[in-house]
Amino acid sequence: MTIEPSAGAQIPASDSLLPERALNPALKRGWKGCCPNCGEHTLFASYLTVADTCANCGEALHHHRADDLPAWLTMIVVGHVLVVALLAMENAFAPALWVHGLILGPFVILSSLWLLPRVKGAVVGMQWAWRMHGFGGEED
């Protein structure tokens, strides 16, 4: 017994029929804030808002589901660097607590603000390369 799809039904394309997307170039392009498909600087519409489509190649980018991963990865990286810097300062100089805050506070804020959009771009590039969340042609 065979079942025929209805007239309006879409059969998802097999992953083996789709051309492979390289992960490393997509990660690098996303890190730079570029479209993972064409490499032009059109990934973000604003600081952390991903554009719905690439203005250059028309690639749909609204499928991304970066959610909390970029923030989590940013906290992990900045936190590890902060702990090393804090311990190194404490062992070398043993300054008062307010000196730690005065020196390391701006570092935490500025490094987080610098790193967050880059990590988010890389996550979107990874999702595009792996055809996750609708980037493969079928809807979620």
Side-chain angles (χ1 to χ4, degrees):
M1 178 170 128
T2 58
I3 300 173
E4 298 285 328
S6 63
Q10 291 184 354
I11 300 172
S14 171
D15 287 341
S16 62
L17 299 177
L18 298 173
E20 186 176 335
R21 294 176 177 170
L23 179 62
N24 284 341
L27 289 174
K28 289 176 186 175
R29 289 174 180 167
W31 178 267
K32 294 177 186 176
C34 300
C35 170
N37 186 37
C38 68
E40 293 297 318
H41 285 280
T42 57
L43 181 61
F44 293 107
S46 64
Y47 177 64
L48 286 178
T49 305
V50 176
D52 287 339
T53 59
C54 174
N56 185 50
C57 68
E59 178 74 28
L61 301 169
H62 62 88
H63 303 295
H64 82 91
R65 296 289 179 264
D67 298 331
D68 293 335
L69 182 60
W72 183 82
L73 290 172
T74 299
M75 287 189 303
I76 293 292
V77 170
V78 172
H80 278 80
V81 173
L82 173 68
V83 167
V84 170
L86 184 72
L87 291 174
M89 276 180 57
E90 188 62 36
N91 285 335
F93 308 111
L97 191 57
W98 67 270
V99 176
H100 282 295
L102 187 66
I103 294 172
L104 295 176
F107 162 77
V108 169
I109 293 169
L110 293 175
S111 61
S112 296
L113 289 174
W114 179 82
L115 191 58
L116 188 57
R118 286 155 180 78
V119 172
K120 185 169 184 173
V123 168
V124 172
M126 175 195 67
Q127 291 176 354
W128 177 83
W130 288 348
R131 299 180 188 279
M132 298 169 66
H133 307 299
F135 282 118
E138 67 275 353
E139 290 298 316
D140 255 354

